[in-house]
């Protein structure tokens, strides 16, 4: 009896793709909720389905999907979604957050692009003192103390 129950619970936990005629709004809700509770596989299934059906909210859906990919250490896919947002949604209110996530991903992977990304971000958002501080720390850690002091 316990085995049957365990398999039912297991089946419910699997990220099933939405069925034909699904509601894209509920896919967004399910995907975002799954992201927030750490069920990244399910989040990806539902957010992908929502993106295909509801492109008007594509920037938000892609941002959340990038977060799910990033959490799964699928950085190339996360960066691809972020690049799509920057290209297809140039006026999105999420652009600042997109760029911050991009910096975070490159920092985590110790990429040589971090300094350039931080420099361009600070140039575009000079009042973001938190990122200025992050940039100064990065410069200090990479032996560029004089440049860090000038910030």
């Amino acid at each position: 009896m316990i085995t049957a129950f365990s398999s039912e619970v297991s089946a419910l936990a699997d990220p099933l793709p939405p069925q034909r005629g699904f509601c894209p709004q509920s896919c967004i809700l399910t995907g975002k909720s799954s992201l927030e509770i750490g069920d990244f596989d399910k989040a990806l299934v539902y957010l992908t389905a929502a993106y295909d059906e509801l492109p008007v909210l594509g920037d938000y859906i892609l941002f959340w999907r990038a977060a799910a990919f990033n959490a799964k250490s699928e950085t190339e896919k996360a960066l691809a979604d972020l690049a799509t947002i920057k290209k297809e949604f140039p006026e999105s209110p999420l652009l600042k957050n997109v760029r911050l996530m991009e910096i975070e991903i490159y920092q985590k992977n110790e990429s040589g692009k971090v300094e350039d990304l931080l420099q361009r971000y600070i140039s575009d958002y000079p009042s973001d003192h938190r990122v200025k501080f992050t940039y100064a720390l990065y410069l200090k850690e990479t032996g560029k103390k004089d440049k860090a002091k000038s910030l």
Side-chain angles (χ1 to χ4, degrees), residues 5-18:
F5 178 72
S6 297
S7 64
E8 287 176 26
V9 170
S10 173
L12 290 174
D14 290 338
L16 299 172

Side-chain angles (χ1 to χ4, degrees), residues 19-93:
Q19 300 300 313
R20 178 179 242 194
F22 66 90
C23 173
Q25 293 88 344
S26 67
C27 282
I28 293 172
L29 181 60
T30 302
K32 180 74 166 74
S33 298
S34 298
L35 174 65
E36 289 173 355
I37 63 168
D39 189 350
F40 306 119
D41 290 323
K42 186 174 182 179
L44 289 169
V45 168
Y46 281 88
L47 292 171
T48 299
Y51 179 67
D52 293 341
E53 295 294 321
L54 205 58
V56 69
L57 294 174
D59 52 345
Y60 285 87
I61 296 167
L62 288 173
F63 183 75
W64 295 326
R65 195 171 78 168
F69 279 131
N70 187 33
K72 290 180 52 128
S73 297
E74 295 184 33
T75 56
E76 293 303 318
K77 291 179 181 177
L79 290 170
D81 278 354
L82 297 174
T84 301
I85 295 169
K86 292 191 314 187
K87 180 181 177 192
E88 294 184 15
F89 303 93
E91 301 299 319
S92 173

Side-chain angles (χ1 to χ4, degrees), residues 66-116:
F69 279 131
N70 187 33
K72 290 180 52 128
S73 297
E74 295 184 33
T75 56
E76 293 303 318
K77 291 179 181 177
L79 290 170
D81 278 354
L82 297 174
T84 301
I85 295 169
K86 292 191 314 187
K87 180 181 177 192
E88 294 184 15
F89 303 93
E91 301 299 319
S92 173
L94 292 175
L95 284 181
K96 187 174 179 180
N97 292 331
V98 165
R99 291 177 67 185
L100 287 171
M101 186 185 294
E102 185 178 45
I103 291 168
E104 175 190 316
I105 290 170
Y106 280 116
Q107 268 186 316
K108 187 170 62 174
N109 293 301
E110 300 177 12
S111 170
K113 293 184 177 185
V114 174
E115 185 172 352
D116 181 54

